[in-house]
Amino acid sequence: MTSLGSLTEFVASQDELLREAALTLPHEFSRCTYSLGPIRQAVYLCLTCQLPRGLCSSCSIACHTDHEQIELFPKRNFRCDCPTTAIPHACTLHRSLEEENRENSYDQNFRSIFCRCGRPYDPKCERETMIQCLACEDWFHESCLHLRTRPSSRESSPVPENEATDHGNDTEDNQSEASSSGLPLPLISAEDYDAFVCSSCVRSIDTLRRYAGTQGVIMVVRDTEDSPWRKLGGNPLCADASTTTEDDLLDIDDSLAAPGQKRSRSHSVHSEEPERKKQHISHEPPSPCLAPGPNSVAQAILRGSQQPPDTKVSLTEGDVFLTEGWRERWCRCSRCFPSLSDHPYLLEEEETYEPPEDPDSALSLEELGMRALERLPRDRAIDGIRAFNDMRDDLLAYLRPFAQEGRIVGEADVRQFFETLHESKHGS
């Protein structure tokens, strides 16, 4: 119920809601991004449309307002699917029907499935914060990254068949942080790192694999099934990263060799190319490698040789957490740079498209109404003002007895006023 004495407070609360809405949605959603081509942008998954395809921010609001959607957050090299033949729901912003996008990548997120545990995402039930991998842009539960103990209220995550042999039941015991209150602090908090890369992506990027477990490239490991999880590579004086053997260095060098190329074990890590290629090498002295010495524990983990063949205990997944300033710390020698340049986001921060700002987002309802009237023909604008004034006079007359008698204006009273107004309009 709303008393007359609180009408001023009610109006003030509506103004505050408008201000919050302007901050939440400050952009103008009147243009589909299809014409911009593949870009990094916020993508929304429409669950109502038949095919699992992605929408840009504008189409998610303008074309699929009444549909059930999940925000997938930024995806690189993505082109809006709304105006294409893949979605039967017509795009209201891009009028030309386009061919289905063939270059878009549709990972498991487009089936509403996230993380290596493969559990469908339900925002109403999920207690944990999820972290996006910088490389593949999939999302991972913090407990599946061993950052803290999984909340007890969460059901066990199903392990996909293709992951079961790799991870065993390890995802059932891991640790992580959540945004909701009441959960313990994580092993690594959001303030401790700047970017996260999942183990699959670490293994596929040579230089990132080479840096794993060194200073500023943190891994989460444990020594035995019963021992606590700990950080590897967070402390520059970490004993695990302080020493490596010559065999470790040679093994790392082999792993970084080009496909089909074997490194001689008699060469140092940063030696020249094999003898047959020497005639193609420039006479300029090679730039020295500034990468830190490889962490033997991390490299053993990433090679999969950290445990005896007869044990099923997984000591870690191999994920890494990059601390602030990590882009500036890469070595850019001829050995390290190529795998970095193949993934430009490792060298420079990506631009993420945002719709243009909406000049009307900060306007009040009254200001928006006056602007709408200014755009109408004069005769229609006058009719609109007259109708508004008539409704205002009727509302004041209806509320006057409540003010005189000190009665409370309830929801039923407000509904009755508008029903009476509607009947009188159609009756006349």
Side-chain angles (χ1 to χ4, degrees):
M1 292 186 179
T2 304
S3 67
L4 288 175
S6 64
L7 284 178
T8 302
E9 298 175 2
F10 175 76
V11 172
S13 69
Q14 297 306 300
D15 289 341
E16 180 61 27
L17 288 175
L18 286 174
R19 284 190 290 271
E20 292 179 3
L23 292 174
T24 304
L25 294 174
H27 301 113
E28 184 179 22
F29 301 101
S30 59
R31 179 188 178 190
C32 173
T33 61
Y34 182 87
S35 60
L36 300 179
I39 56 175
R40 190 171 196 264
Q41 61 180 313
V43 177
Y44 295 78
L45 171 64
C46 183
L47 301 177
T48 304
C49 290
Q50 186 175 4
L51 290 176
R53 293 294 184 261
L55 316 172
C56 68
S57 299
S58 296
C59 288
S60 72
I61 292 176
C63 309
H64 299 253
T65 305
D66 299 330
H67 292 187
E68 184 180 359
Q69 302 177 36
I70 292 180
E71 184 177 5
L72 301 183
F73 295 89
K75 296 282 186 182
R76 66 174 62 92
N77 299 325
F78 195 89
R79 196 171 197 176
C80 181
D81 285 316
C82 187
T84 71
T85 55
I87 294 183
H89 187 278
C91 181
T92 62
L93 302 179
H94 187 94
R95 300 291 184 175
S96 301
L97 184 62
E98 307 289 349
E99 293 294 325
E100 183 175 351
N101 291 318
R102 300 295 181 182
E103 297 181 357
N104 283 351
S105 176
Y106 303 102
D107 58 17
Q108 66 174 5
N109 293 173
F110 288 88
R111 302 192 304 275
S112 190
I113 296 174
F114 300 85
C115 190
R116 61 171 58 98
C117 68
R119 191 176 79 253
Y121 179 70
D122 184 352
K124 298 178 181 178
C125 302
E126 185 60 62
R127 292 188 62 196
E128 293 187 69
T129 294
M130 299 187 74
I131 305 175
Q132 188 177 36
C133 173
L134 175 71
C136 67
E137 297 182 306
D138 195 1
W139 291 84
F140 293 80
H141 300 102
E142 291 174 311
S143 64
C144 294
L145 301 178
H146 313 300
L147 298 185
R148 87 160 105 189
T149 304
R150 171 174 299 164
S152 58
S153 61
R154 190 176 111 185
E155 294 182 0
S156 299
S157 300
V159 179
E161 292 182 1
N162 61 344
E163 295 284 341
T165 56
D166 294 334
H167 308 304
N169 294 325
D170 188 50
T171 54
E172 294 299 325
D173 310 37
N174 302 334
Q175 287 141 338
S176 114
E177 176 185 24
S179 57
S180 57
S181 59
L183 295 180
L185 293 175
L187 179 61
I188 304 176
S189 67
E191 293 75 20
D192 295 333
Y193 67 96
D194 183 62
F196 156 74
V197 183
C198 74
S199 58
S200 296
C201 295
V202 171
R203 288 179 168 90
S204 68
I205 302 174
D206 291 343
T207 299
L208 190 55
R209 186 173 75 248
R210 165 69 174 74
Y211 270 76
T214 63
Q215 180 184 358
V217 188
I218 306 172
M219 297 180 71
V220 177
V221 301
R222 62 180 178 181
D223 300 318
T224 66
E225 184 179 9
D226 298 325
S227 60
W229 294 96
R230 60 185 175 87
K231 294 186 289 185
L232 179 68
N235 187 340
L237 301 179
C238 177
D240 291 315
S242 60
T243 58
T244 52
T245 67
E246 182 179 356
D247 286 342
D248 290 327
L249 297 176
L250 291 170
D251 286 342
I252 297 306
D253 191 52
D254 284 343
S255 71
L256 293 178
Q261 174 186 333
K262 288 292 290 182
R263 299 292 296 171
S264 169
R265 297 185 68 85
S266 62
H267 286 202
S268 65
V269 178
H270 309 297
S271 62
E272 298 174 342
E273 293 294 314
E275 187 70 25
R276 66 180 183 276
K277 291 190 176 182
K278 281 190 175 181
Q279 64 270 24
H280 301 295
I281 297 177
S282 167
H283 293 291
E284 296 180 4
S287 58
C289 181
L290 303 178
N295 186 303
S296 58
V297 174
Q299 298 308 319
I301 289 170
L302 293 172
R303 287 197 305 266
S305 60
Q306 81 277 19
Q307 55 195 27
D310 58 345
T311 180
K312 297 182 179 179
V313 178
S314 175
L315 299 185
T316 186
E317 302 290 349
D319 311 304
V320 300
F321 298 84
L322 305 171
T323 62
E324 188 175 357
W326 54 273
R327 285 188 176 93
E328 288 71 37
R329 294 195 296 267
W330 295 129
C331 171
R332 284 166 166 76
C333 74
S334 59
R335 294 288 299 173
C336 297
F337 188 75
S339 70
L340 297 174
S341 60
D342 288 342
H343 305 86
Y345 53 84
L346 293 177
L347 295 173
E348 293 184 5
E349 187 172 355
E350 296 173 288
E351 290 188 7
T352 302
Y353 171 82
E354 289 188 351
E357 289 192 5
D358 181 6
D360 295 340
S361 63
L363 299 180
S364 66
L365 290 177
E366 293 80 4
E367 291 170 324
L368 291 172
M370 292 302 298
R371 177 168 294 188
L373 283 174
E374 291 172 358
R375 296 170 181 171
L376 291 175
R378 180 175 175 80
D379 56 339
R380 293 181 60 187
I382 292 174
D383 291 341
I385 294 173
R386 185 181 295 114
F388 176 81
N389 288 336
D390 290 344
M391 184 187 70
R392 179 198 59 190
D393 294 340
D394 291 341
L395 180 60
L396 290 175
Y398 180 77
L399 294 176
R400 189 171 293 112
F402 289 87
Q404 293 172 346
E405 300 172 14
R407 288 187 291 153
I408 300 296
V409 180
E411 180 181 350
D413 299 315
V414 176
R415 289 183 180 276
Q416 182 180 350
F417 168 77
F418 284 103
E419 288 174 1
T420 304
L421 187 67
H422 179 76
E423 293 172 358
S424 62
K425 178 180 177 181
H426 288 276
S428 59

